[in-house]
Amino acid sequence: MLDLRLTRAARPAVQLRRLLVAAASAGTGFLLLSCLGYALKRPEAAGSGALRLAWCVVPVAATVYLALAVARTDPGTRPRPGLSAIGLGPARLMAVSALVTALSTTLGSLVALSLFLHLRGDLTGLPFDGAAASFLAAGKSLPLAATLTLLAVVPVVATVAVALALRPRDPRPVTRPQRRYLPFVRQAGGPAASGRSGKVEAAGGGGAAGEGTPAAAAPAGVIDPRFTSPSLTDKADDDKGPGDTPSGLPWAVALLAAGLTAQAYAGRTPPTPAFTFTTVPTGAGLFLLGWLLTAVGLVLAAPGLTHLCGRLLQCARPGALRLLAGRGLMAEATRIGRPLGILCAVTAAGYAVTTLYDAPGRPFGPLSALGALVVAGCAFATLLTVAVETRQGRAETTDALLRLGAPATVLRGAAALRAFALLAFFTPLTLAIAALAAFPLTR
C-alpha cells in the first residue's frame, strides 16, 4: 500500500514523464503488431517481414532508454534517510521503480493493441473503424501467442533494464589486488628485508631513526607500500569532477572516421535494387555498417565534446557567469553527453533517411513516419529527462550559492549559457556529419 501511495503521490511532472514512457511503448508496440499483420497478409514474403521486425529494434531500444532515464529521475523512489526503518530500503525502492516501469510500458502495450484492433476493424463503434485494414491483415485472425510475445517485448526488456541499472550497490570502494613490482621484497619481513634491516641496525647502532635513516620494517605479511603500485580505484564516469576528462574520445573519433570511410567507399558502387527499409540489397551491408559506426562514434564522442565545450567557455579570462557555466558543463559532461550524442546520431540518421526517400518512387509511409517519430521523440525526451536529473543532482550546490548571496539571475544565465554553448557546438557538427553520411546516397 505504501508503494502505491508513493507512485500515486508523485508530482504532475513525474506523471507526465511516465505518460511519455507509455506513449513511446504504445508506438513501439503498434510497430511490432504491424510487422505481425504484414507477415499474416504476405506469408510468401518472409524475408521482408523479418527485415521489418529487425528495424523495430531501434524504437525498442529508444523506448527502453527513455524508460531507464525516467526511472532514474523519479523522486519517489530515491533513497532517503529513514526509509529503511519502514521497510523501504534500496532493494525495495528498486522494486518500486521496476514496478512503475512495468505498469507504464504495459499500459502503452494495451493502448497499442486496442488501436491495432480498432484500425483492423475488429473493434467497432468508434471513428476510423478499419481505416488501415488494407495492410493490417483485417480478414485473418491474430495468433494469440505471437501477439502476446510482441506486446511483452517492451515491458519485459524495460523492467529488466531498470532493475539492473538501479540495483543496490555496495557504497564501499572495490578493493583491487595491487601489483607487486619487486618479487624479492614482497614482504617487509622477508629474508631480503630482514637482512637489510639487520645491516642498518648494525650500522646505526640501534639508535633512534632520524632524518635520512630508513624506516623500520613493517610486520610480516604486510606489503611494503614503497614497492606497490598506486591505488587502482577509479571513479565512475557519472561521478567525475570538473577536472576529469571523459575517456573514449580517441576511440570515438576513430569510429567516426571508419564509419564515414565505409559509407564513402560503399557509395562508389551504389547497390541495386534501391535500398529501402523493406528491401536491403546485397551491396548495402557496407552502408549499414558505416551508419552503425558513425552513430556509435557520435555517442562515444559526445561526453568528451561536452567537456571541451565547458573548457572553451572558461578560456580568455572568464567572468563569474562563464566560469560557473563552464565548470557545470565539465562536471556534467558524461551525464549530459550520452543522450546528447544519441540525439545527434538520430538527427544525422534522419537526414540520411530523408535523402534516401527523396525520390518519388519511394514514398515515406505511415509506419516509417511513426517509427521515426518514436525514435526522435524518445531521444529528445530522454535528453530533457537527463537535464532534469542533472538539475536535481546540483540542487545542493544551487542552494549553497543562493545562501552565499548569488543572484538567481546569474544561475539562470549560467543554465542558458550552457544550453546555448551546446547548441552552437553540436548543431554544425551534426549537420556536417549528416551531410557526409548522406553524400554517398546522393551520387
Side-chain angles (χ1 to χ4, degrees), residues 23-50:
S25 177
T28 306
F30 186 82
L31 289 174
L32 292 171
L33 292 178
S34 300
C35 296
L36 177 61
Y38 181 85
L40 291 176
K41 183 181 179 181
R42 299 180 180 179
E44 70 281 357
S48 180

Side-chain angles (χ1 to χ4, degrees), residues 237 240-249 303-305 307-308 311 330 333-334:
D237 287 341
K240 288 187 174 182
D244 299 326
T245 305
S247 59
L249 186 58
L305 295 178
H307 192 274
L308 178 61
R311 285 193 177 275
M330 292 172 63
T334 302

Side-chain angles (χ1 to χ4, degrees), residues 333-381:
T334 302
R335 186 179 296 176
I336 295 181
R338 291 169 182 168
L340 186 59
I342 291 177
L343 182 61
C344 293
V346 169
T347 305
Y351 182 83
V353 169
T354 304
T355 305
L356 178 65
Y357 276 82
D358 199 16
R362 286 174 286 180
F364 202 71
L367 294 180
S368 301
L370 177 61
L373 180 62
V374 169
V375 174
C378 286
F380 187 71

Side-chain angles (χ1 to χ4, degrees), residues 4-337:
L4 182 60
R5 288 183 178 180
L6 285 175
T7 304
R8 292 178 53 192
R11 293 176 295 180
V14 179
Q15 302 290 2
L16 178 61
R17 290 196 291 267
R18 293 171 182 171
L19 288 178
L20 287 177
V21 174
S25 177
T28 306
F30 186 82
L31 289 174
L32 292 171
L33 292 178
S34 300
C35 296
L36 177 61
Y38 181 85
L40 291 176
K41 183 181 179 181
R42 299 180 180 179
E44 70 281 357
S48 180
L51 185 59
R52 286 173 177 264
L53 190 61
W55 279 115
C56 291
V57 174
V58 180
V60 168
T63 304
V64 171
Y65 192 60
L66 174 61
L68 181 59
V70 170
R72 282 177 173 172
T73 57
D74 194 346
T77 57
R78 186 172 302 169
R80 300 185 188 91
L83 288 182
S84 298
I86 58 176
L88 287 178
R92 186 73 174 273
L93 292 177
M94 179 270 295
V96 173
S97 298
L99 178 62
V100 171
T101 303
L103 291 177
S104 302
T105 51
T106 303
L107 176 62
S109 297
L110 293 178
V111 171
L113 178 61
S114 302
L115 183 61
F116 182 77
L117 295 177
H118 173 62
L119 293 179
R120 289 180 80 238
D122 296 336
L123 299 179
T124 58
L126 294 174
F128 305 103
D129 291 337
S134 58
F135 61 93
L136 294 182
K140 298 184 178 180
S141 61
L142 293 175
L144 181 60
T147 303
L148 294 180
T149 301
L150 292 177
L151 289 176
V153 167
V154 176
V156 170
V157 176
T159 305
V160 171
V162 169
L164 292 178
L166 302 183
R167 67 185 185 276
R169 294 182 176 88
D170 191 355
R172 295 172 296 181
V174 179
T175 304
R176 302 184 182 181
Q178 296 180 345
R179 186 176 299 172
R180 302 166 181 174
Y181 293 100
L182 299 178
F184 56 89
V185 286
R186 289 179 181 176
Q187 297 179 356
S194 61
R196 183 176 58 189
S197 62
K199 293 179 181 179
V200 171
E201 290 178 359
E211 185 177 356
T213 305
V222 179
I223 300 175
D224 193 341
R226 294 173 296 172
F227 305 105
T228 57
S229 61
S231 177
L232 299 178
T233 304
D234 297 327
K235 293 180 289 185
D237 287 341
D238 292 341
D239 299 330
K240 288 187 174 182
D244 299 326
T245 305
S247 59
L249 186 58
W251 289 104
V253 174
L255 286 176
L256 271 174
L260 294 176
T261 303
Q263 295 179 49
Y265 183 78
R268 298 172 57 186
T269 56
T272 54
F275 172 76
T276 61
F277 282 129
T278 57
T279 57
V280 176
T282 306
L286 200 55
F287 273 110
L288 297 177
L289 178 62
W291 283 355
L292 180 61
L293 291 178
T294 303
V296 173
L298 266 176
V299 174
L300 292 180
L305 295 178
T306 305
H307 192 274
L308 178 61
C309 285
R311 285 193 177 275
L312 292 178
L313 277 177
Q314 301 175 76
C315 64
R317 303 179 64 181
L321 183 63
R322 285 200 294 142
L323 187 62
L324 185 60
R327 298 292 283 184
L329 270 184
M330 292 172 63
E332 301 159 0
T334 302
R335 186 179 296 176
I336 295 181

